[in-house]
Amino acid sequence: GGVISLFTEIDPSRRLTVRPDIQFGSFGYQRQQLRVDGHNNSGTEFMGSFSRFETDGWREHSAAEIRQTNVVVRQDVGGSGRLSGIFNHYDAPFAENPSMMNESNARSDPRGTRFIAVKQHWGEATQQGQYGATYERNIGAQMFRATGWGVSRDLFASNPGRIIDLSRKGGGLRSEYLGSNGMVQWSVGVDVSSQSDTRMESGNGTTPDVGHLRGGLLVQQLEDVLSAGPFAQVSIAPHSRLTVTAGVRYDYYNFAATDQKLDDGDQSGERTMNAASPSVGLTFAATSDINLYTNFSTAYETPTTVELSNRPEGEGGFNQLLEPERLRSFEVGIRGLVEPARLQYELAVYRARLLDTFVPFQGADEQTFFSNAGESSRNGVELSVNWQPVTRVSARLAYTYQDFLFQRFVDRFNRNYGGNMEPGAPPNRLFAGFNYVAPFGLRSSVDVRWVDNFYVNNANTAENWAYTVVDLRFGWEREWGSTDVRPFIGIDNLFNERYNSSAISNAWGGRYFEPSPGTEVYAGLTFGFGVR
């Protein structure tokens, strides 16, 4: 698959930088952020930010507010070591849910909502805190790294027919040792973690004008997860143009549910899941500008506690029929640079087989459950091109082709979907972007997104229609001494395309679609000032 890697950038040009950011736009959109970062001569770096986002929502009953705090501190320790700490806090007092729509309403009245969503005040309130510390130390050509982390979360959700209260505590440790010895590079490590959830689910009443009306208790249980995952990887370069990489990871998970509502019997349960996932890859530098590569990979994904605890029967405990998903994939690709044209490209072709594929479906109360398909094939092509003909002009093109099919799938009602396309996977996607920087500091960009139509149910009898969306953005950058100013304005969905930003596969009653806004306009202003 790949890696999502996030880094916190700290302005190296100032010892202390203060950067307020204000934005506003259509449908009551507001965002304010204050960020402070800096560094000193003792090897200390820090960053702190607070942001608040608010919107009235494009659809009826879709208002939301989100407040976030982020803090990062890094400190050099003993010359060859570094200690980093991070803290994040997320607070959404209550984000309203306007509900999904059937195709007729999504096309004719996309801003509306279902009356019951307003009457039962569907939505959720969430608070989550995450914190962690990482210690790194270089030992010659080797490095030791250890990270400890913790998380706490409180969730209240008002859903169709059900109110959910969830409290979570969790934490873990990851340690790894990396090194190199001539043509060999290696890493070994282990992940260990635990998670403990307290879950309560109650009925959601329908008395008018009351809002949340908590009904009878349906589920009350403790859910505990323990996991361990040792891993190792080695890369060998037998030739200056050739690199061979092999790795393996072993995952062990133990899920346990302790039923605390015993008036309908003890539904406590336990699940243990484990598997080894090896991989091997080969990279060949055909020329200084062309790399060829191939990979064979395996992967293993367990259900989450939410997926296990959501049982179609409405009972507590865990779904004993839901099995982990297993992947086998083969990929070949080429990446390179056409230096005279200042063009970079990458093309990859992959074939994958999944056993026990997770397939979502909804019950009459619109709660999402999961089952396993026997076998699926997922084959595709990915292409990306980046071109910068001159310093002030750049362009990017990305294309994805997906052929995702159920090879074997008979559901619990004995319906055979073998040979059908998997719902939720557009066969074709295209993104194109163009950027221009004027000599006087004006930046402009235009992005075009095209998504093909795709099926939204296992039977392939309903589909989300194709759409093309064009976004524009203009910004200006100017510096006066130690202060920089960056005003900007943007227009999303320039041509007012009617489309759905998401679709829920196998939704109850044909309500698959979540309509997206028409044309939106937003503007903002960012300042940067401080001490150099």
Side-chain angles (χ1 to χ4, degrees):
V3 174
I4 298 175
S5 186
L6 305 179
F7 295 89
T8 300
E9 292 187 355
I10 294 176
D11 190 343
S13 66
R14 298 185 180 97
R15 296 172 63 85
L16 178 68
T17 301
V18 180
R19 194 175 295 280
D21 184 340
I22 301 172
Q23 300 178 26
F24 56 92
S26 304
F27 313 116
Y29 167 67
Q30 298 181 47
R31 183 178 182 273
Q32 305 90 34
Q33 179 179 5
L34 179 64
R35 172 183 166 128
V36 180
D37 64 65
H39 58 88
N40 62 22
N41 296 329
S42 301
T44 304
E45 297 180 330
F46 66 90
M47 186 283 297
S49 74
F50 173 80
S51 66
R52 176 181 175 273
F53 159 89
E54 185 176 12
T55 178
D56 295 334
W58 176 67
R59 295 178 60 192
E60 180 186 357
H61 196 70
S62 61
E65 180 184 0
I66 298 172
R67 299 186 286 258
Q68 295 187 80
T69 302
N70 300 282
V71 177
V72 175
V73 180
R74 305 178 185 136
Q75 176 64 55
D76 291 339
V77 180
S80 59
R82 168 169 275 205
L83 181 64
S84 303
I86 186 169
F87 170 78
N88 308 115
H89 185 261
Y90 173 95
D91 179 21
F94 193 80
E96 295 176 337
N97 176 8
S99 80
M100 310 301 286
M101 284 187 166
N102 59 33
E103 182 175 356
S104 175
N105 289 336
R107 288 184 181 273
S108 62
D109 183 26
R111 298 194 65 173
T113 189
R114 297 174 63 199
F115 174 65
I116 193 172
V118 180
K119 185 165 61 174
Q120 291 187 344
H121 202 29
W122 292 355
E124 66 180 43
T126 309
Q127 279 199 355
Q128 177 167 303
Q130 292 181 237
Y131 47 89
T134 297
Y135 177 71
E136 296 178 329
R137 186 172 185 85
N138 292 315
I139 308 170
Q142 302 172 4
M143 172 187 283
F144 171 76
R145 180 187 297 125
T147 298
W149 58 271
V151 62
S152 63
R153 184 178 191 184
D154 291 302
L155 169 71
F156 168 85
S158 174
N159 296 325
R162 187 165 295 221
I163 291 176
I164 299 174
D165 290 283
L166 179 72
S167 179
R168 170 172 296 172
K169 304 291 182 183
L173 174 69
R174 176 187 176 93
S175 62
E176 55 186 327
Y177 201 69
L178 306 89
S180 61
N181 181 13
M183 65 179 186
V184 179
Q185 293 183 330
W186 50 268
S187 65
V188 294
V190 63
D191 287 320
V192 293
S193 64
S194 67
Q195 177 180 295
S196 180
D197 293 355
T198 301
R199 178 186 297 275
M200 292 181 61
E201 299 185 7
S202 308
N204 196 352
T206 58
T207 301
D209 304 322
V210 174
H212 308 301
L213 180 64
R214 192 181 297 273
L217 184 64
L218 303 174
V219 174
Q220 182 175 355
Q221 64 186 28
L222 300 178
E223 300 168 357
D224 295 301
V225 186
L226 294 174
S227 68
F231 57 88
Q233 180 172 291
V234 60
S235 295
I236 302 175
H239 188 275
S240 60
R241 292 191 176 188
L242 183 65
T243 302
V244 181
T245 302
V248 63
R249 178 185 174 96
Y250 176 79
D251 286 292
Y252 171 87
Y253 287 87
N254 178 261
F255 298 84
T258 304
D259 192 357
Q260 295 182 317
K261 178 181 176 295
L262 303 178
D263 56 357
D264 56 352
D266 189 350
Q267 295 161 2
S268 301
E270 188 173 0
R271 299 288 305 274
T272 298
M273 305 178 190
N274 58 86
S277 303
S279 63
V280 61
L282 181 70
T283 301
F284 175 66
T287 71
S288 60
D289 293 332
I290 299 176
N291 274 8
L292 306 174
Y293 62 90
T294 183
N295 299 293
F296 174 75
S297 303
T298 63
Y300 170 79
E301 182 178 355
T302 70
T304 66
T305 53
V306 173
E307 293 164 352
L308 284 172
S309 63
N310 285 0
R311 302 179 62 184
E313 303 85 1
E315 299 175 340
F318 284 148
N319 185 346
Q320 297 295 322
L321 300 178
L322 187 60
E323 296 295 332
E325 186 178 75
R326 302 170 188 270
L327 169 74
R328 303 289 183 270
S329 69
F330 178 73
E331 176 188 28
V332 293
I334 180 173
R335 64 172 64 95
L337 169 68
V338 182
E339 194 165 359
R342 303 178 71 175
L343 184 145
Q344 293 178 317
Y345 63 90
E346 182 168 358
L347 174 66
V349 180
Y350 63 89
R351 294 181 61 85
R353 289 293 183 273
L354 280 81
L355 300 178
D356 295 321
T357 311
F358 296 147
V359 181
F361 64 95
Q362 284 189 342
D365 61 356
E366 297 193 13
Q367 190 172 13
T368 300
F369 308 100
F370 288 82
S371 62
N372 296 115
E375 182 180 356
S376 297
S377 64
R378 294 183 179 176
N379 308 319
V381 178
E382 296 178 348
L383 169 68
S384 68
V385 177
N386 290 278
W387 182 44
Q388 189 171 9
V390 295
T391 304
R392 299 187 179 277
V393 175
S394 63
R396 178 172 181 260
L397 177 72
Y399 169 74
T400 300
Y401 168 74
Q402 299 178 137
D403 180 25
F404 291 6
L405 293 176
F406 291 127
Q407 297 294 328
R408 294 185 290 109
F409 181 24
V410 178
D411 73 1
R412 62 196 185 104
F413 299 108
N414 206 35
R415 294 175 296 204
N416 188 350
Y417 298 120
N420 286 5
M421 297 185 69
E422 283 194 59
N428 298 279
R429 288 176 178 263
L430 180 68
F431 170 86
F434 177 84
N435 302 283
Y436 174 70
V437 182
F440 52 89
L442 178 67
R443 296 178 177 269
S444 58
S445 65
V446 55
D447 295 336
V448 180
R449 290 175 288 132
W450 173 74
V451 177
D452 201 357
N453 59 303
F454 59 91
Y455 291 115
V456 292
N457 61 352
N458 294 339
N460 290 178
T461 57
E463 62 183 12
N464 188 48
W465 60 88
Y467 61 86
T468 302
V469 176
V470 179
D471 301 329
L472 295 178
R473 182 180 171 102
F474 301 94
W476 183 62
E477 295 186 11
R478 189 65 182 266
E479 288 192 17
W480 288 280
S482 61
T483 302
D484 57 80
V485 181
R486 301 177 185 177
F488 59 89
I489 185 171
I491 305 174
D492 287 345
N493 196 359
L494 178 65
F495 298 109
N496 202 35
E497 180 87 348
R498 181 162 293 176
Y499 72 105
N500 303 305
S501 58
S502 68
I504 301 298
S505 297
N506 300 311
W508 180 263
R511 292 187 288 270
Y512 307 106
F513 308 106
E514 185 175 29
S516 293
T519 301
E520 295 181 281
V521 180
Y522 62 93
L525 179 63
T526 301
F527 290 96
F529 57 89
V531 180
R532 295 196 184 275

